[in-house]
Amino acid sequence: MHRRTTTTTCAAALAVGLTTIPAAAVAPHEGPSSSTAGLTVGAVGVAGDPADQEAVREALREAAAEAATQVSVQRSAPSATPQDVPGPRRLPSLPRPDLDAALDQLVADGALGVTATVETSTLRWSDAAGSRQLGGQAPALERSPLRVASNTKMMVATLVVQEVEAGTWTLDTRVDDVIPGLFPDHPEVTIRHLLSHTSGMPLGTYELITPYAGTDPEDWDAFVSAIGRDYSDAEHIDAVNAAPWVGEPGAQFSYSNAGYVALGMLLEEVTGEPVDELVTERIRRPAGMGQTRVLDEPGLRGPALHEAMFVDGRGWIGLGGFDPDVFSHSGSALSTVEDLDDFTRALMSGDLVSEASVEQMVTPSSQNPLGYGLGTYAIPDPCRPGEFLHGHDGASFGSLSLALSSRDGTRQLALGVTGRDLTVAQDALYDLNDLLVPMLVASC
Protein backbone atom coordinates (compact mmCIF):
# COMPACT_ATOMS: atom_id res chain seq x y z
CA MET A 1 0.00 0.00 0.00
CA HIS A 2 1.31 3.45 -0.92
CA ARG A 3 1.58 5.72 2.10
CA ARG A 4 2.67 9.34 2.06
CA THR A 5 4.92 11.34 4.32
CA THR A 6 3.25 14.75 4.13
CA THR A 7 1.31 15.70 7.25
CA THR A 8 -2.16 17.20 7.23
CA THR A 9 -4.63 18.94 9.50
CA CYS A 10 -8.31 18.61 10.27
CA ALA A 11 -8.93 22.03 8.75
CA ALA A 12 -7.41 20.85 5.51
CA ALA A 13 -9.68 17.84 5.55
CA LEU A 14 -12.64 20.18 5.63
CA ALA A 15 -11.43 21.48 2.28
CA VAL A 16 -10.58 18.05 0.93
CA GLY A 17 -13.33 15.79 2.15
CA LEU A 18 -16.50 17.62 2.86
CA THR A 19 -17.36 19.22 -0.39
CA THR A 20 -18.76 16.40 -2.38
CA ILE A 21 -17.98 18.50 -5.41
CA PRO A 22 -18.54 16.78 -8.76
CA ALA A 23 -15.92 15.23 -10.83
CA ALA A 24 -15.45 16.93 -14.11
CA ALA A 25 -15.25 17.05 -17.79
CA VAL A 26 -15.13 19.10 -20.86
CA ALA A 27 -17.77 21.49 -19.84
CA PRO A 28 -17.84 20.16 -16.31
CA HIS A 29 -16.41 20.80 -12.89
CA GLU A 30 -14.10 18.41 -10.96
CA GLY A 31 -11.85 15.95 -12.81
CA PRO A 32 -8.33 14.89 -14.26
CA SER A 33 -4.98 16.25 -15.07
CA SER A 34 -3.57 16.42 -18.55
CA SER A 35 -0.22 15.11 -17.43
CA THR A 36 -0.69 13.72 -13.94
CA ALA A 37 -1.38 10.34 -12.40
CA GLY A 38 -5.09 10.84 -12.78
CA LEU A 39 -8.00 11.01 -10.41
CA THR A 40 -6.66 10.36 -6.93
CA VAL A 41 -8.88 9.34 -4.10
CA GLY A 42 -8.47 12.61 -2.31
CA ALA A 43 -9.18 14.74 -5.33
CA VAL A 44 -12.85 14.24 -6.04
CA GLY A 45 -14.91 16.36 -3.74
CA VAL A 46 -12.34 19.06 -3.09
CA ALA A 47 -14.07 22.09 -1.68
CA GLY A 48 -13.27 25.72 -1.76
CA ASP A 49 -9.77 26.05 -3.20
CA PRO A 50 -10.01 26.88 -6.94
CA ALA A 51 -6.63 25.26 -7.56
CA ASP A 52 -7.84 22.02 -5.99
CA GLN A 53 -11.04 22.15 -8.02
CA GLU A 54 -9.10 22.62 -11.24
CA ALA A 55 -6.89 19.63 -10.35
CA VAL A 56 -9.99 17.48 -9.96
CA ARG A 57 -11.43 18.80 -13.23
CA GLU A 58 -8.22 17.96 -15.01
CA ALA A 59 -8.17 14.47 -13.55
CA LEU A 60 -11.51 13.27 -14.86
CA ARG A 61 -10.86 14.88 -18.22
CA GLU A 62 -7.67 12.87 -18.38
CA ALA A 63 -9.53 9.64 -17.71
CA ALA A 64 -11.93 10.39 -20.57
CA ALA A 65 -9.11 11.48 -22.87
CA GLU A 66 -7.00 8.41 -22.10
CA ALA A 67 -9.99 6.14 -22.71
CA ALA A 68 -10.72 7.93 -25.99
CA THR A 69 -7.12 7.46 -27.10
CA GLN A 70 -7.23 3.74 -26.33
CA VAL A 71 -10.53 3.38 -28.16
CA SER A 72 -9.20 5.23 -31.22
CA VAL A 73 -6.07 3.08 -31.38
CA GLN A 74 -8.03 -0.14 -31.00
CA ARG A 75 -10.58 0.84 -33.63
CA SER A 76 -7.88 1.65 -36.14
CA ALA A 77 -6.16 -1.70 -35.64
CA PRO A 78 -6.33 -4.03 -38.68
CA SER A 79 -8.02 -6.71 -36.58
CA ALA A 80 -10.93 -4.46 -35.61
CA THR A 81 -14.24 -5.65 -37.02
CA PRO A 82 -17.53 -3.74 -37.31
CA GLN A 83 -20.24 -4.51 -34.80
CA ASP A 84 -23.79 -3.26 -34.44
CA VAL A 85 -24.14 -0.97 -31.45
CA PRO A 86 -26.82 1.51 -30.45
CA GLY A 87 -26.45 4.77 -32.30
CA PRO A 88 -26.19 6.07 -35.83
CA ARG A 89 -23.01 4.33 -36.91
CA ARG A 90 -21.39 0.93 -36.98
CA LEU A 91 -18.29 0.86 -34.82
CA PRO A 92 -15.52 -1.74 -34.61
CA SER A 93 -15.78 -4.12 -31.69
CA LEU A 94 -13.13 -3.62 -29.04
CA PRO A 95 -11.26 -6.13 -26.88
CA ARG A 96 -12.64 -6.02 -23.36
CA PRO A 97 -10.20 -4.57 -20.82
CA ASP A 98 -9.35 -6.74 -17.83
CA LEU A 99 -11.82 -5.02 -15.51
CA ASP A 100 -11.50 -7.60 -12.76
CA ALA A 101 -7.74 -7.07 -12.53
CA ALA A 102 -8.16 -3.28 -12.52
CA LEU A 103 -10.65 -3.53 -9.67
CA ASP A 104 -8.37 -5.81 -7.67
CA GLN A 105 -5.47 -3.38 -8.21
CA LEU A 106 -7.30 -0.59 -6.41
CA VAL A 107 -7.63 -2.78 -3.34
CA ALA A 108 -3.99 -3.88 -3.61
CA ASP A 109 -2.98 -0.21 -3.67
CA GLY A 110 -5.01 0.74 -0.61
CA ALA A 111 -8.76 0.98 -1.20
CA LEU A 112 -10.82 -0.81 1.46
CA GLY A 113 -13.78 -1.94 -0.65
CA VAL A 114 -14.60 -1.48 -4.32
CA THR A 115 -17.70 -2.30 -6.32
CA ALA A 116 -18.25 -1.44 -9.98
CA THR A 117 -20.43 -2.17 -12.99
CA VAL A 118 -20.55 -1.50 -16.74
CA GLU A 119 -23.71 -2.11 -18.74
CA THR A 120 -24.12 -1.84 -22.53
CA SER A 121 -26.14 -3.67 -25.17
CA THR A 122 -23.30 -6.20 -25.50
CA LEU A 123 -21.73 -6.24 -22.02
CA ARG A 124 -22.99 -6.62 -18.47
CA TRP A 125 -20.08 -6.67 -16.05
CA SER A 126 -20.06 -6.20 -12.30
CA ASP A 127 -17.61 -7.18 -9.61
CA ALA A 128 -16.39 -6.30 -6.13
CA ALA A 129 -13.15 -6.59 -4.20
CA GLY A 130 -11.80 -5.83 -0.77
CA SER A 131 -13.57 -5.80 2.59
CA ARG A 132 -16.80 -4.29 3.82
CA GLN A 133 -15.17 -2.47 6.69
CA LEU A 134 -11.89 -1.46 8.22
CA GLY A 135 -10.19 -4.48 9.78
CA GLY A 136 -13.06 -6.76 8.82
CA GLN A 137 -13.00 -10.08 7.01
CA ALA A 138 -16.38 -9.99 5.30
CA PRO A 139 -15.83 -9.42 1.57
CA ALA A 140 -17.28 -6.54 -0.39
CA LEU A 141 -20.09 -7.77 -2.63
CA GLU A 142 -21.43 -6.62 -5.98
CA ARG A 143 -24.70 -5.78 -4.22
CA SER A 144 -23.01 -3.97 -1.31
CA PRO A 145 -24.51 -0.50 -0.85
CA LEU A 146 -22.40 2.48 0.15
CA ARG A 147 -22.91 6.15 0.86
CA VAL A 148 -23.08 7.83 -2.55
CA ALA A 149 -22.99 11.41 -1.28
CA SER A 150 -23.63 13.95 -4.06
CA ASN A 151 -25.18 11.41 -6.40
CA THR A 152 -28.15 12.25 -4.16
CA LYS A 153 -28.30 15.59 -5.98
CA MET A 154 -29.44 13.87 -9.19
CA MET A 155 -32.31 12.33 -7.25
CA VAL A 156 -33.35 15.59 -5.61
CA ALA A 157 -33.08 17.43 -8.94
CA THR A 158 -35.34 14.81 -10.54
CA LEU A 159 -37.97 15.33 -7.83
CA VAL A 160 -37.79 19.10 -8.29
CA VAL A 161 -38.22 18.80 -12.07
CA GLN A 162 -41.18 16.48 -11.53
CA GLU A 163 -42.82 19.30 -9.55
CA VAL A 164 -42.11 21.68 -12.44
CA GLU A 165 -43.88 19.26 -14.78
CA ALA A 166 -46.79 19.02 -12.35
CA GLY A 167 -47.18 22.80 -12.37
CA THR A 168 -46.31 23.24 -8.68
CA TRP A 169 -43.67 25.79 -9.60
CA THR A 170 -41.44 26.83 -12.48
CA LEU A 171 -37.68 26.83 -12.60
CA ASP A 172 -37.80 30.58 -12.15
CA THR A 173 -40.04 30.50 -9.07
CA ARG A 174 -38.39 32.41 -6.27
CA VAL A 175 -37.51 30.42 -3.16
CA ASP A 176 -39.05 33.25 -1.15
CA ASP A 177 -42.42 32.52 -2.77
CA VAL A 178 -42.33 28.94 -1.43
CA ILE A 179 -40.70 29.45 1.97
CA PRO A 180 -40.73 33.18 2.77
CA GLY A 181 -37.58 34.45 4.44
CA LEU A 182 -35.44 31.35 3.82
CA PHE A 183 -32.69 33.57 2.45
CA PRO A 184 -33.65 36.97 3.86
CA ASP A 185 -30.73 38.86 2.28
CA HIS A 186 -31.20 37.17 -1.10
CA PRO A 187 -34.95 36.96 -1.84
CA GLU A 188 -34.26 36.82 -5.60
CA VAL A 189 -32.80 33.28 -5.45
CA THR A 190 -34.80 30.92 -7.68
CA ILE A 191 -35.21 27.18 -7.96
CA ARG A 192 -33.10 27.26 -11.13
CA HIS A 193 -30.30 28.97 -9.21
CA LEU A 194 -30.31 26.22 -6.58
CA LEU A 195 -30.40 23.37 -9.11
CA SER A 196 -27.56 24.82 -11.19
CA HIS A 197 -25.33 26.04 -8.32
CA THR A 198 -25.66 29.65 -9.43
CA SER A 199 -27.35 31.04 -6.31
CA GLY A 200 -24.14 32.63 -5.07
CA MET A 201 -24.27 30.94 -1.68
CA PRO A 202 -21.16 29.22 -0.31
CA LEU A 203 -20.70 25.48 -0.06
CA GLY A 204 -22.41 25.34 3.32
CA THR A 205 -20.86 22.18 4.73
CA TYR A 206 -17.66 23.94 5.72
CA GLU A 207 -19.63 26.72 7.37
CA LEU A 208 -21.80 24.16 9.18
CA ILE A 209 -19.01 21.97 10.58
CA THR A 210 -16.25 24.44 11.41
CA PRO A 211 -17.72 25.71 14.71
CA TYR A 212 -17.77 22.16 16.07
CA ALA A 213 -14.41 20.89 14.76
CA GLY A 214 -12.34 22.43 17.53
CA THR A 215 -9.56 25.00 17.42
CA ASP A 216 -6.66 22.53 17.20
CA PRO A 217 -6.04 21.69 13.52
CA GLU A 218 -4.45 18.39 14.55
CA ASP A 219 -7.40 17.24 16.67
CA TRP A 220 -8.92 14.51 14.51
CA ASP A 221 -11.14 13.32 17.34
CA ALA A 222 -12.88 16.70 17.35
CA PHE A 223 -13.24 16.54 13.58
CA VAL A 224 -14.80 13.06 13.70
CA SER A 225 -17.11 14.26 16.46
CA ALA A 226 -18.16 17.25 14.33
CA ILE A 227 -19.19 15.07 11.38
CA GLY A 228 -21.09 12.82 13.78
CA ARG A 229 -23.38 15.57 15.05
CA ASP A 230 -27.09 15.58 14.26
CA TYR A 231 -27.61 18.74 12.18
CA SER A 232 -31.01 20.10 11.24
CA ASP A 233 -31.82 21.52 7.81
CA ALA A 234 -32.37 24.88 9.49
CA GLU A 235 -28.77 24.79 10.75
CA HIS A 236 -27.51 24.32 7.19
CA ILE A 237 -29.47 27.38 6.06
CA ASP A 238 -28.48 29.45 9.10
CA ALA A 239 -24.82 28.65 8.37
CA VAL A 240 -24.93 30.04 4.82
CA ASN A 241 -27.10 33.00 5.80
CA ALA A 242 -24.45 33.96 8.37
CA ALA A 243 -21.58 33.63 5.89
CA PRO A 244 -20.48 35.87 3.01
CA TRP A 245 -21.91 34.79 -0.34
CA VAL A 246 -19.57 34.37 -3.28
CA GLY A 247 -21.72 36.40 -5.68
CA GLU A 248 -25.14 37.61 -6.64
CA PRO A 249 -27.77 35.04 -7.68
CA GLY A 250 -27.31 34.07 -11.33
CA ALA A 251 -23.90 35.75 -11.66
CA GLN A 252 -21.63 32.71 -11.50
CA PHE A 253 -21.29 29.00 -10.80
CA SER A 254 -20.40 28.16 -7.20
CA TYR A 255 -21.00 24.61 -6.02
CA SER A 256 -23.20 24.52 -2.92
CA ASN A 257 -24.40 21.63 -0.82
CA ALA A 258 -26.62 24.03 1.13
CA GLY A 259 -28.49 24.87 -2.09
CA TYR A 260 -29.65 21.26 -2.36
CA VAL A 261 -30.54 21.16 1.33
CA ALA A 262 -32.82 24.10 0.53
CA LEU A 263 -34.33 22.21 -2.44
CA GLY A 264 -35.18 19.32 -0.14
CA MET A 265 -36.89 21.73 2.23
CA LEU A 266 -38.91 23.20 -0.66
CA LEU A 267 -40.00 19.71 -1.74
CA GLU A 268 -41.15 18.85 1.77
CA GLU A 269 -42.99 22.17 2.04
CA VAL A 270 -45.08 21.69 -1.12
CA THR A 271 -45.65 17.92 -0.92
CA GLY A 272 -46.04 17.43 2.82
CA GLU A 273 -43.79 14.34 2.54
CA PRO A 274 -40.17 13.81 3.64
CA VAL A 275 -37.57 13.58 0.89
CA ASP A 276 -36.77 9.95 1.70
CA GLU A 277 -40.37 8.93 0.99
CA LEU A 278 -40.44 11.00 -2.19
CA VAL A 279 -37.31 9.24 -3.42
CA THR A 280 -38.86 5.87 -2.64
CA GLU A 281 -42.18 6.62 -4.34
CA ARG A 282 -41.04 8.59 -7.36
CA ILE A 283 -37.54 7.33 -8.14
CA ARG A 284 -36.55 4.12 -6.37
CA ARG A 285 -39.67 2.12 -7.23
CA PRO A 286 -40.15 3.32 -10.84
CA ALA A 287 -36.45 2.81 -11.63
CA GLY A 288 -36.22 -0.55 -9.83
CA MET A 289 -33.57 0.60 -7.36
CA GLY A 290 -34.09 -2.08 -4.75
CA GLN A 291 -31.43 -1.10 -2.21
CA THR A 292 -31.41 2.68 -2.40
CA ARG A 293 -32.38 4.62 0.71
CA VAL A 294 -32.06 8.19 1.94
CA LEU A 295 -30.72 8.04 5.48
CA ASP A 296 -30.75 10.47 8.39
CA GLU A 297 -29.04 8.46 11.13
CA PRO A 298 -25.49 7.08 11.61
CA GLY A 299 -24.73 3.42 11.09
CA LEU A 300 -24.87 0.89 8.26
CA ARG A 301 -26.19 -2.66 8.32
CA GLY A 302 -26.08 -5.81 6.23
CA PRO A 303 -23.52 -6.08 3.41
CA ALA A 304 -22.92 -2.30 3.22
CA LEU A 305 -19.44 -0.91 2.66
CA HIS A 306 -18.39 1.07 5.73
CA GLU A 307 -16.46 4.30 5.47
CA ALA A 308 -12.97 5.08 6.72
CA MET A 309 -10.46 7.83 6.10
CA PHE A 310 -6.66 7.71 6.08
CA VAL A 311 -4.59 10.47 7.62
CA ASP A 312 -0.78 10.58 7.71
CA GLY A 313 0.50 10.38 11.24
CA ARG A 314 -2.73 8.81 12.42
CA GLY A 315 -3.44 6.02 9.94
CA TRP A 316 -6.95 4.72 9.29
CA ILE A 317 -9.90 6.19 11.16
CA GLY A 318 -13.24 4.41 11.03
CA LEU A 319 -16.31 6.58 10.45
CA GLY A 320 -19.03 4.43 11.95
CA GLY A 321 -20.42 7.45 13.78
CA PHE A 322 -20.70 9.66 10.67
CA ASP A 323 -24.15 11.28 10.52
CA PRO A 324 -25.53 11.79 6.99
CA ASP A 325 -27.30 14.91 8.24
CA VAL A 326 -23.92 16.58 7.62
CA PHE A 327 -25.01 16.58 3.95
CA SER A 328 -28.78 16.14 4.36
CA HIS A 329 -30.63 16.43 1.02
CA SER A 330 -27.41 17.20 -0.81
CA GLY A 331 -25.78 13.85 -0.13
CA SER A 332 -27.40 11.41 2.31
CA ALA A 333 -28.36 8.54 -0.02
CA LEU A 334 -27.18 4.95 0.32
CA SER A 335 -27.15 2.99 -2.94
CA THR A 336 -25.47 0.24 -4.96
CA VAL A 337 -23.68 0.59 -8.28
CA GLU A 338 -26.43 -1.49 -9.90
CA ASP A 339 -29.07 0.88 -8.52
CA LEU A 340 -27.08 3.88 -9.78
CA ASP A 341 -27.03 2.30 -13.25
CA ASP A 342 -30.78 1.74 -13.05
CA PHE A 343 -31.30 5.34 -11.99
CA THR A 344 -29.22 7.02 -14.70
CA ARG A 345 -30.75 4.71 -17.33
CA ALA A 346 -34.29 5.56 -16.24
CA LEU A 347 -33.49 9.26 -16.06
CA MET A 348 -31.78 9.53 -19.43
CA SER A 349 -34.46 7.37 -21.09
CA GLY A 350 -37.21 9.75 -20.03
CA ASP A 351 -38.85 7.31 -17.62
CA LEU A 352 -38.73 9.65 -14.60
CA VAL A 353 -39.23 13.03 -16.29
CA SER A 354 -40.06 13.96 -19.88
CA GLU A 355 -37.42 13.99 -22.62
CA ALA A 356 -37.74 17.77 -22.77
CA SER A 357 -36.99 17.98 -19.05
CA VAL A 358 -34.03 15.61 -19.38
CA GLU A 359 -32.63 17.89 -22.05
CA GLN A 360 -32.93 20.84 -19.68
CA MET A 361 -31.19 18.88 -16.93
CA VAL A 362 -28.18 17.97 -19.09
CA THR A 363 -27.77 21.35 -20.77
CA PRO A 364 -25.13 23.52 -19.05
CA SER A 365 -26.89 26.26 -17.10
CA SER A 366 -23.91 28.58 -16.81
CA GLN A 367 -20.37 29.10 -18.00
CA ASN A 368 -18.73 26.57 -15.73
CA PRO A 369 -15.93 24.08 -16.33
CA LEU A 370 -18.14 21.21 -15.18
CA GLY A 371 -20.82 21.62 -17.83
CA TYR A 372 -23.23 21.51 -14.92
CA GLY A 373 -26.89 21.59 -15.84
CA LEU A 374 -29.70 20.94 -13.36
CA GLY A 375 -28.38 18.27 -11.02
CA THR A 376 -26.15 16.56 -13.61
CA TYR A 377 -22.86 17.25 -15.36
CA ALA A 378 -21.10 15.83 -18.41
CA ILE A 379 -17.80 14.31 -19.45
CA PRO A 380 -16.73 13.66 -23.07
CA ASP A 381 -17.91 10.29 -24.31
CA PRO A 382 -14.73 8.36 -25.24
CA CYS A 383 -16.77 6.06 -27.46
CA ARG A 384 -18.42 8.72 -29.61
CA PRO A 385 -16.47 11.91 -30.30
CA GLY A 386 -18.57 15.02 -29.83
CA GLU A 387 -21.03 13.33 -27.47
CA PHE A 388 -21.10 13.18 -23.68
CA LEU A 389 -21.73 10.90 -20.74
CA HIS A 390 -24.01 12.43 -18.11
CA GLY A 391 -24.28 11.87 -14.38
CA HIS A 392 -22.70 12.90 -11.10
CA ASP A 393 -20.17 11.84 -8.52
CA GLY A 394 -20.26 11.73 -4.76
CA ALA A 395 -17.48 12.10 -2.21
CA SER A 396 -18.07 11.71 1.48
CA PHE A 397 -15.23 11.67 4.01
CA GLY A 398 -14.75 7.93 3.63
CA SER A 399 -16.37 6.94 0.33
CA LEU A 400 -16.34 7.88 -3.32
CA SER A 401 -18.83 7.09 -6.09
CA LEU A 402 -19.50 7.90 -9.73
CA ALA A 403 -22.50 7.23 -11.98
CA LEU A 404 -22.56 7.98 -15.72
CA SER A 405 -24.87 7.20 -18.63
CA SER A 406 -24.93 7.87 -22.34
CA ARG A 407 -27.56 10.42 -23.32
CA ASP A 408 -29.67 7.76 -25.06
CA GLY A 409 -29.71 5.62 -21.90
CA THR A 410 -28.13 2.58 -23.56
CA ARG A 411 -24.77 2.56 -21.75
CA GLN A 412 -24.05 3.01 -18.03
CA LEU A 413 -21.13 2.70 -15.68
CA ALA A 414 -20.96 3.16 -11.93
CA LEU A 415 -18.35 2.58 -9.26
CA GLY A 416 -18.08 2.91 -5.52
CA VAL A 417 -14.98 2.93 -3.32
CA THR A 418 -14.52 3.10 0.43
CA GLY A 419 -11.36 4.32 2.10
CA ARG A 420 -10.24 7.88 1.31
CA ASP A 421 -6.90 9.57 1.88
CA LEU A 422 -7.67 12.98 3.37
CA THR A 423 -4.02 14.01 3.48
CA VAL A 424 -3.20 17.35 1.90
CA ALA A 425 -1.43 17.43 -1.48
CA GLN A 426 -3.11 14.16 -2.43
CA ASP A 427 -0.46 11.70 -3.45
CA ALA A 428 -3.22 9.27 -2.50
CA LEU A 429 -3.41 5.63 -1.61
CA TYR A 430 -4.58 4.62 -5.07
CA ASP A 431 -5.32 6.06 -8.49
CA LEU A 432 -9.01 5.73 -9.32
CA ASN A 433 -8.26 6.13 -13.01
CA ASP A 434 -6.61 2.70 -12.95
CA LEU A 435 -10.19 1.37 -12.87
CA LEU A 436 -12.14 4.24 -14.39
CA VAL A 437 -10.21 4.30 -17.70
CA PRO A 438 -10.78 0.61 -18.51
CA MET A 439 -14.43 0.97 -17.45
CA LEU A 440 -14.85 3.86 -19.88
CA VAL A 441 -13.20 1.83 -22.64
CA ALA A 442 -15.42 -1.16 -21.87
CA SER A 443 -18.51 1.05 -22.09
CA CYS A 444 -17.85 1.37 -25.83
Side-chain angles (χ1 to χ4, degrees), residues 230-250:
D230 184 16
Y231 297 95
S232 68
D233 289 347
E235 287 179 278
H236 285 261
I237 303 306
D238 288 345
V240 291
N241 280 334
W245 284 33
V246 299
E248 292 300 314

Side-chain angles (χ1 to χ4, degrees), residues 43-274:
V44 171
V46 176
D49 185 346
D52 286 334
Q53 294 178 7
E54 179 57 27
V56 179
R57 282 194 293 274
E58 281 298 307
L60 191 51
R61 272 201 292 271
E62 176 160 316
E66 172 61 24
T69 298
Q70 292 185 22
V71 169
S72 178
V73 169
Q74 292 175 17
R75 283 182 175 157
S76 63
S79 59
T81 57
Q83 176 182 352
D84 284 320
V85 297
R89 45 191 181 273
R90 292 170 61 85
L91 303 174
S93 60
L94 303 175
R96 171 179 155 179
D98 193 342
L99 297 171
D100 300 300
L103 187 146
D104 290 337
Q105 187 62 52
L106 252 63
V107 174
D109 287 344
L112 296 181
V114 185
T115 179
T117 180
V118 177
E119 297 189 35
T120 72
S121 61
T122 58
L123 171 66
R124 185 179 179 88
W125 170 83
S126 62
D127 199 3
S131 302
R132 293 181 208 168
Q133 60 189 100
L134 186 64
Q137 299 299 313
L141 305 174
E142 295 172 20
R143 68 177 187 275
S144 288
L146 76 159
R147 298 193 192 278
V148 296
S150 277
N151 279 299
T152 311
K153 289 183 173 70
M154 281 197 292
M155 302 177 197
V156 169
T158 300
L159 294 172
V160 170
V161 172
Q162 288 174 348
E163 292 298 325
V164 171
E165 293 184 343
T168 304
W169 49 43
T170 72
L171 291 175
D172 296 317
T173 295
R174 298 189 317 158
V175 172
D176 204 54
D177 294 334
V178 183
I179 303 180
L182 195 64
F183 303 117
D185 295 332
H186 303 276
E188 66 274 30
V189 171
T190 67
I191 288 171
R192 186 191 304 273
H193 291 148
L194 298 180
L195 285 170
S196 61
H197 299 290
T198 57
S199 67
M201 76 178 68
L203 178 72
T205 315
Y206 180 91
E207 292 76 11
L208 179 73
I209 292 176
T210 298
Y212 304 99
T215 58
D216 181 357
E218 303 292 339
D219 188 352
W220 285 99
D221 293 330
F223 175 77
V224 171
S225 175
I227 64 175
R229 289 188 80 252
D230 184 16
Y231 297 95
S232 68
D233 289 347
E235 287 179 278
H236 285 261
I237 303 306
D238 288 345
V240 291
N241 280 334
W245 284 33
V246 299
E248 292 300 314
Q252 67 189 83
F253 178 89
S254 180
Y255 194 87
S256 176
N257 286 335
Y260 272 74
V261 175
L263 286 170
M265 296 172 70
L266 298 179
L267 285 165
E268 293 182 343
E269 176 70 18
V270 300
T271 66
E273 295 186 61

Side-chain angles (χ1 to χ4, degrees), residues 320-407:
F322 169 77
D323 193 317
D325 284 342
V326 169
F327 296 133
S328 185
H329 311 305
S330 76
S332 57
L334 184 80
S335 191
T336 66
V337 290
E338 181 180 9
D339 278 5
L340 290 175
D341 273 357
D342 289 339
F343 173 48
T344 56
R345 181 187 304 110
L347 179 60
M348 292 299 146
S349 298
D351 295 335
L352 299 177
V353 295
S354 70
E355 281 288 346
S357 292
V358 176
E359 199 58 32
Q360 282 189 299
M361 293 178 72
V362 302
T363 300
S365 298
S366 63
Q367 293 296 321
N368 68 83
L370 194 57
Y372 208 100
L374 306 177
T376 73
Y377 64 82
I379 70 167
D381 187 339
C383 311
R384 299 175 183 175
E387 298 183 22
F388 295 88
L389 300 177
H390 301 276
H392 216 290
D393 68 57
S396 186
F397 298 101
S399 67
L400 183 66
S401 58
L402 180 67
L404 296 168
S405 173
S406 59
R407 176 61 184 87

